[in-house]
């Protein structure tokens, strides 16, 4: 090809200029990224000095949290539900919960239980407010064969379906066994809300993100109990470190015949129940 | 290699490099630090401030309350169950003291199918007659501490000692006078407690104080046992102080301790059934005025009118002293 074609020469000149510009730009951006990466590396790697993660007093490699529910003790006072919402800034409406309590009532002559929870309209009416919760005494005069309460919450599964389906890596399992949500990376697609076989997640319309129980990660990493466990007046909720043989949860699991909800789902839950009935799923 | 192929390869390499740099630049710094998530989000979540503070936090200032609460039957119910989360307290002001106690207490203590049998439960409406729960129960230590101490005395010895009491309380514990109580068949635990209170000066009475002071502890036990063993059946009182039917409605407030018909479940509290009505009126008025000191009776009688008291007395007087 001759070099005399002016159009071709102009194109070649443009391309070579563009190439040079891209290379320079790439170098500049690359250098910037490198320096940022180094900065963060410097910030998040004091592990060289033996400091722990995620806080300086708490090392997540040394714990494996577990949760127990003794349904035979639950009195259905719903203090856990109110405390959880207060502790974790859950919207004050009747249908947003990180934890909830179900009531199962078998009436005489009926084979299936009647199930209600705190957001049932009858119970909301009994409490008189969407921010306070109470079980209405609706079966007071009925002939009840059997009745009990079952507290529920996120199971912090070993193989969580919600984590697998998240498209942005906004939900994940920590090394100490807690499933968390990064609200900054959550795009609010709510796939995880659909994926959870336990219905433990809800969509937070105020923040436009998915939300759920964290076992009060900000409390347990400070040596406190989750708010619901702290507040439970009858000891129906048990929490602790499964790595520690003497912790309340280790004793609970050891001294009772526990079961989990929907074991067939393959999620391998870490909330262990005592006193469930055949119809509780 | 032909020139146009070289250009193509160069372009692809350049775009790949661009994409790699862009990904490097735009991915959060800590994203793959521990896995497919932003590592920095973990300390962000762990760093949130706890809202509920635990009883240890409250203990620092409310030492006495904490001691009372932790020794009582509500020790598994932490402060923040009733008073709300303590975050920001005391800097931002006081925590609420619940006003509507029947509403609060019924959250746990309303009798309801599904609650375990071990949970203390009452039908709130019938139990308190609409009164505040704290009239009788101390919320920090709610179990009513009427310790029914066992009274072991000798009725025969008591009978001898009782000769001095007969002029007012009758030969067989049935008072001849409407102003003085019948003692026959009364709970021994209650009798011993009251006599001891007269002796110690916790309770004062112009007549009873000088009589009770010389009594020994053994005398008190013997007297209590003696009177408790006597038959309570007495001729009906002649005086009419009020309307027993109206009194029954007021008595709904008293059933938890004194039973529906004036005979309670705990022998630390007196039987009221068949008691002298004029005596009951006097005692209730003394409680209301603070002349007889009892924190529970003071609370219960505070809201009673003279008519209420008269009706109550008539109601209990009209009941049979035998269950």
């Amino acid at each position: 090809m001759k070099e005399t074609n002016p159009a071709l020469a102009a194109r070649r000149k443009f391309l070579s200029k563009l190439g040079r510009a891209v290379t320079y730009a790439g170098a500049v951006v690359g250098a910037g990224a490198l320096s940022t990466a180094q900065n963060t590396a410097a910030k998040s790697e004091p592990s060289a000095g033996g400091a722990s993660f995620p806080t300086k007093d708490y090392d997540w490699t040394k714990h494996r949290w577990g949760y127990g529910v003794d349904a035979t003790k639950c009195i259905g006072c719903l203090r856990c539900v109110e405390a959880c919402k207060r502790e974790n800034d859950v919207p004050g409406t009747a249908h947003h919960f990180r934890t909830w309590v179900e009531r199962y009532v078998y009436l005489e002559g009926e084979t299936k239980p009647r199930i209600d929870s705190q957001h049932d309209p009858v119970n909301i009416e009994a409490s008189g407010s969407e921010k306070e919760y109470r079980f209405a005494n609706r079966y007071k005069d009925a002939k009840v064969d059997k009745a009990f309460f079952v507290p529920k919450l996120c199971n912090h599964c070993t193989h969580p379906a919600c984590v697998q389906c998240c498209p942005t890596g906004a939900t994940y399992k920590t090394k100490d066994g807690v499933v968390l949500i990064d609200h900054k990376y959550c795009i609010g697609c709510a796939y995880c809300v659909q994926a959870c076989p336990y219905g433990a997640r809800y969509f937070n319309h105020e923040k436009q993100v998915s939300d759920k129980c964290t076992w009060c990660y900000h409390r347990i990493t400070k040596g406190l109990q989750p708010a619901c466990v702290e507040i439970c007046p009858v000891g129906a909720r048990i929490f602790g470190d499964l790595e520690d043989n003497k912790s309340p949860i280790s004793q609970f699991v050891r001294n009772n015949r526990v079961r989990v909800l929907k074991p067939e789902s393959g999620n391998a839950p870490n909330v262990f129940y005592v006193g469930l009935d055949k119809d509780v799923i | 290699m032909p020139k146009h192929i070289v250009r193509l390869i160069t372009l692809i390499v350049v775009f790949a490099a661009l994409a790699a740099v862009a990904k490097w630049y735009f991915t959060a710094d800590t994203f793959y630090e521990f896995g497919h998530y932003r590592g920095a989000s973990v300390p962000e979540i762990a760093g949130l401030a706890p809202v509920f503070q635990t009883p240890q936090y409250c203990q620092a200032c409310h030492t006495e309350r904490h001691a009372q609460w932790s020794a009582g039957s509500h020790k598994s119910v932490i402060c923040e169950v009733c008073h709300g989360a303590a975050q920001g307290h005391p800097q931002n002001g006081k925590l609420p003291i619940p006003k509507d106690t029947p509403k609060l207490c019924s959250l746990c203590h309303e009798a309801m199918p599904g609650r375990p049998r071990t949970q203390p439960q009452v039908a709130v409406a019938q139990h308190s007659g609409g009164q505040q729960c704290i009239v009788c129960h101390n919320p920090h230590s709610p179990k009513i501490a009427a310790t029914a101490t066992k009274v072991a005395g000798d009725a025969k010895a008591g009978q001898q000692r009782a000769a001095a009491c007969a002029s007012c309380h009758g030969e067989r514990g049935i008072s001849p006078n409407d102003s003085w109580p019948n003692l026959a068949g009364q709970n021994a635990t209650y009798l011993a407690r009251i006599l001891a209170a007269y002796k110690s000066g916790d309770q004062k009475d112009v007549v009873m104080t000088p009589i009770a002071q010389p009594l020994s502890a053994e005398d008190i036990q013997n007297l209590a046992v003696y009177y408790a063993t006597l038959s309570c059946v007495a001729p009906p009182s002649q005086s009419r102080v009020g309307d027993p039917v109206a009194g029954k409605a007021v008595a709904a407030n008293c059933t938890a301790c004194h039973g529906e018909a004036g005979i309670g479940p705990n022998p630390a509290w007196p039987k009221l059934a068949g008691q002298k009505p004029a005596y009951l009126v006097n005692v209730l008025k003394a409680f209301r005025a603070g002349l007889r000191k009892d924190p529970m009776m003071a609370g219960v009688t505070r809201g009673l009118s003279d008519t209420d008291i008269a009706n109550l007395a008539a109601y209990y007087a009209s009941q049979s002293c035998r269950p």
Side-chain angles (χ1 to χ4, degrees), chain B residues 146-263:
Chain B
T147 40
T149 44
K150 203 160 164 53
V151 181
D154 176 13
K156 276 245 170 77
Q159 188 173 10
Q160 287 171 3
R161 212 73 179 76
C165 319
S167 57
C168 294
H169 292 293
E171 200 74 36
R172 304 283 298 162
I174 303 296
S175 164
N177 184 313
D178 266 358
S179 309
W180 298 315
N182 294 337
L183 302 182
Q186 187 54 275
N187 293 323
T189 311
Y190 167 73
L191 289 173
R193 175 162 69 84
I194 292 299
L195 272 175
Y198 279 125
K199 181 177 158 69
S200 70
D202 286 346
Q203 190 160 313
K204 289 191 179 71
D205 183 90
V206 202
V207 183
M208 281 307 294
T209 304
I211 293 174
Q213 263 165 353
L215 294 176
S216 69
E218 201 187 344
D219 288 337
I220 288 176
Q221 300 265 310
N222 293 343
L223 278 169
V225 170
Y226 167 65
Y227 279 115
T229 51
L230 296 177
S231 163
C232 65
V233 179
S237 175
Q238 293 309 308
S239 63
R240 286 276 169 272
V241 293
D243 174 14
V245 180
K248 187 173 184 183
V250 186
N253 293 350
C254 321
T255 52
C257 298
H258 293 293
E260 209 161 300
I263 297 176

Side-chain angles (χ1 to χ4, degrees), chain A residues 29 34 40 44 53-54 72 74-75 79 83 86-87 134-135 137 147 169 172 181-182 184-185 218-219 222 233, chain B residues 21 24 28-29 31 33-34 36-38 41 43-46 48 50-52 76 103 106-107 111-112 114-116:
Chain A
V29 170
L34 201 64
T40 25
S44 65
F53 190 85
T72 62
C74 180
I75 58 171
R79 297 307 85 204
R86 176 86 175 75
E87 178 76 37
R134 114 174 3 239
F135 276 111
N137 207 352
Y172 54 92
I181 301 174
D182 178 359
K184 287 187 186 158
Y185 259 42
H218 59 292
R219 295 176 67 89
K222 294 179 182 73
Chain B
V21 167
W24 191 14
D29 310 320
F31 196 80
E33 198 177 350
F34 305 106
H36 187 255
Y37 58 93
R38 198 167 58 92
S41 70
E44 277 171 26
I45 295 169
L48 296 171
V51 176
F52 285 84
S76 63
K103 190 179 178 199
S106 64
L107 280 167
M112 188 183 281
R115 295 208 156 130

Side-chain angles (χ1 to χ4, degrees), chain A residues 261-276:
Chain A
L261 297 173
K262 291 184 189 166
E264 71 282 1
S265 75
N267 285 256
N270 287 304
V271 175
F272 304 100
Y273 281 89
V274 161
L276 292 187

Side-chain angles (χ1 to χ4, degrees), chain B residues 14 16 23 42-43 50 62 72 80 82 101 105 109 120 124 132 148 151 172 182 220 255 258 277 287 290:
Chain B
V14 165
K23 189 182 179 198
V42 184
H62 304 282
E80 291 162 296
C82 303
T101 49
C105 304
H109 296 295
V124 173
Q132 291 291 322
V151 181
R172 304 283 298 162
N182 294 337
I220 288 176
T255 52
H258 293 293
F287 278 126

Side-chain angles (χ1 to χ4, degrees), chain A residues 102-122:
Chain A
E102 293 169 359
R103 169 165 65 181
Y104 291 72
V105 178
Y106 296 78
L107 294 183
E108 223 173 82
E110 295 185 0
T111 48
K112 287 205 168 151
R114 296 174 178 231
I115 308 170
D116 64 346
S117 192
Q118 69 269 8
H119 57 268
D120 187 286
V122 175

